[in-house]
Amino acid sequence: MIPPSFIQDLLARTDIADVVGKFVTLKKAGINYKGLCPFHGEKSPSFVVSPSRQTYHCFGCGVHGNAIGFLMEFGGTGFVDAVKDLAQMQGMPVPDDNIRPEERERQKQIKEKQVSLTDVMAKAAHHWKQQLKSTPRAVNYLKGRGLTGEIAARFALGYAPDNWRGLASVFPKYDDPLLVESGLVIAHEPDPADPANSEGKRYDRFRDRIMFPIRNPQGDVIGFGGRVLDKGEPKYLNSPETPVFIKGRELYGLYEGRAALRNKGYAIVTEGYMDVVALAQWGFGNAVATLGTACTADHAQKLFRFTDQVVFSFDGDAAGRRAAGRALEATLPYATDTRRISFLFLPTEHDPDSYIREFGAEAFEQCIKQAVPLSRQVLEHAGADCDMDSAEGRARLLVQAIPLLAQFPEGALQGLIADELAQMARTAPEEVRRRLAEHLQKAQQKAAGRDRYSGGAGSGGQRSAGDGGGASGASGASGNWDGDFGDIPAFDPDGDTGGSDWTYSGEGGDPSGGFESGGQSSRPYQGRGQQQGGYQQGGFQGGTRRDGKPWKPWKGGSGSRWQSRGSPVEQRPLPQAATPLDRIAWVLVSHSEFWEQLPSATHDLLCDQPAPYGEFFRWLDRILLDQGLLNAEDLLKLMRGDAADPEHPEETGHFQTLARRVTQFVEVPDNKDTVEELMNLIRPIELVALRDELDLLTQSGELSEAAEARKMELVRLTLAMKLEISRRRPISG
């Protein structure tokens, strides 16, 4: 574990302009520097480096951060590796905090095994890439599929020759166990009865196939897909699962499509490698594919970390419809009101590859616009075998649709689909809602019987989606909080605190700061200079999301907020009064189900807050993924250290102080807590983020048209956010 003090010292000795200048041509722009963004293609500069802030930001694609964050983004490395690289540039040795020797050894062995496996596969990928260049038959095959050399190089396509031991020329130790463990070589056990196989047969898994390297979001090769050139079975052959490759969690093309996902704003999920590559050839670099498996909940979770809009593209035949059904069921728990999920069914004779080659990009774009929305698809899926002209068929529809509807997060979308279901079944909406409530109640009782969601209102226990605890149950625009600290000061359109006698006194303008009576703010807003890093502090690893990627920038509207990726945590003295972040933390402790109902952009915003709050939200995200929804009592036990986390025992008790604060400062009646009121608490923090980005942009002089357009958009968003906060401010007599 790298001590926080070392990272702060390292950044203090670093000039970000020197670091970025090694990779990007920078020119002076007022008090900042500007250049062409290295993370997306552009002809005029939108990329700004700020020496005063020691940060970079692109107003075109939204990447941002400090010197460590730049090395992470540019090199595709993890936080620790980026810190080591930067320390080497500065000639500073990297220290390590004390951890248990056995834990250090375990981590070392895991890391070494992962590095060894990815190194072996990277070496094989390079070999097959060279083989492709020298094999006209394979090159002609790709040309016949409409692919150029540029797109083949982008996806590092290769060719595995028709040779049983072709990799023996690459790996002199062909009997190396890593070749088998990585899935590159198949080994049979020795057969004492067969003299010819006394040592066991070993041969290459992939032969005479176009090779598609599968890379994780950091760019490491973790597996392969191989496609036959001619006729043969299986048409596609995938690597087996290994310590670095789990099919149900990985998506082909995600690494290559990161920039396109930002620019397009949505993801296209296909069924095959060639679909992804072909779509990228035609300008749809935002396509990904599952790896020979149905879409899983892990896939959906990962996708919604990168975008809030997903289009599933399937063949129109029976197999495509079945695949769509599995994808639908996997995504239902993540279908919040702010996300858009749709299903594109191509003609039965086409897949995305063949369709776009025959009809072109514009026709495919039009198909995407006409994709079936989730609300319609879920009802079509439930009613596929139901006769709507008979009472029996409509009853069957209700039986099949209610369990699907119950999987939606509570919100407006769930209620609207329930009303449409009532129309299809020719019954009253109240009947559908009654059935839905009964189903949810039974599910809750079943869960309670397993002692998983125990706890009542007093402990903030889990509530079903039908008891008024979600967004649709909001009783008003503003929160109805009980406690000793009154209402949270709201910003009015003039930038004041709403005429209140309270002024914001958070350090550096941070939303985690306290409130003090009278006077002026103790320090003006200065931007996010001290942010959540990726090193371990007190045993807590806070640098990555569920999918292994660093937390993304918060995006408000169409742009992204200014945020210092890669910065260390500054552990500040906690204020003596409750803060908005205390209240937000307590709401999410009381109702962990609200976390999945928040937009992914809000997740990113909260997880970027200073310690201990940003740490806590990242920890909460990981805990809910590992253990599912937990009630307040169980979460507080983990925070205090009264119960151990079996997956990460070193984190036990890390949030003792925060647990004590939220339970002492805030009392939230269980029946008054809603997602909408939670969002009301978060909006002032969003406003600070928008102001920070606008401030940076105004200091950077003349920029690209995209950046100037973003500046106007930020002005509009800031004013709209101020008005929204002011409108929701409680009216006092």
Side-chain angles (χ1 to χ4, degrees), residues 113 117 120 173-185 187 202:
K113 175 57 69 69
L117 289 173
V120 164
K173 292 186 176 181
Y174 193 69
D175 58 350
D176 188 341
L178 283 174
L179 295 179
V180 176
E181 190 170 1
S182 64
L184 297 174
V185 169
R202 300 172 72 91

Side-chain angles (χ1 to χ4, degrees), residues 310-546:
V310 176
V311 178
F312 291 97
S313 179
F314 298 105
D315 301 346
D317 56 12
R321 293 282 173 176
R322 288 193 297 271
R326 291 190 289 269
L328 180 144
E329 294 179 9
T331 57
L332 287 181
Y334 307 100
T336 63
D337 294 347
T338 60
R339 290 171 178 162
R340 179 181 174 185
I341 304 169
S342 54
F343 296 81
L344 166 60
F345 296 99
L346 296 172
T348 55
E349 67 274 15
H350 283 294
D351 56 24
D353 173 25
S354 64
Y355 188 91
I356 201 167
R357 283 192 287 122
E358 181 170 342
F359 298 105
E362 291 186 5
F364 188 75
E365 182 81 44
Q366 191 61 32
C367 288
I368 291 176
K369 293 179 180 178
Q370 297 173 356
V372 179
L374 175 66
S375 58
R376 191 192 315 164
Q377 182 63 24
V378 70
L379 295 178
E380 290 182 359
H381 179 68
D385 57 350
C386 301
D387 178 10
M388 293 296 100
D389 293 329
S390 68
E392 292 83 355
R394 295 192 294 274
R396 182 183 180 88
L397 169 66
L398 288 173
V399 170
Q400 295 181 166
I402 291 296
L404 296 177
L405 198 57
Q407 295 183 51
F408 279 82
E410 185 182 358
L413 181 60
Q414 185 189 54
L416 292 171
I417 297 177
D419 292 342
E420 292 187 13
L421 174 60
Q423 292 182 1
M424 287 183 63
R426 303 179 194 174
T427 189
E430 293 76 16
E431 173 64 14
V432 172
R433 294 177 184 272
R434 182 188 65 79
R435 287 173 173 261
L436 178 60
E438 287 180 354
H439 183 91
L440 290 168
Q441 185 177 18
K442 290 179 181 178
Q444 188 181 29
Q445 290 172 349
K446 184 177 180 180
R450 296 194 301 265
D451 293 328
R452 181 165 186 175
Y453 300 139
S454 61
S459 62
Q462 163 74 8
R463 293 172 296 157
S464 74
D467 65 4
S472 64
S475 60
S478 61
N480 295 319
W481 306 103
D482 286 351
D484 300 327
F485 304 100
D487 294 301
I488 298 171
F491 294 95
D492 67 9
D494 296 325
D496 296 323
T497 55
S500 170
D501 292 331
W502 297 85
T503 57
Y504 218 45
S505 63
E507 182 176 353
D510 201 295
S512 67
F515 297 99
E516 59 188 20
S517 180
Q520 299 297 320
S521 174
S522 64
R523 188 175 295 189
Y525 285 97
Q526 297 176 349
R528 319 238 67 78
Q530 306 292 337
Q531 297 298 340
Q532 188 73 1
Y535 63 92
Q536 288 189 343
Q537 182 185 35
F540 174 66
Q541 176 68 27
T544 57
R545 309 151 63 114
R546 298 181 183 186

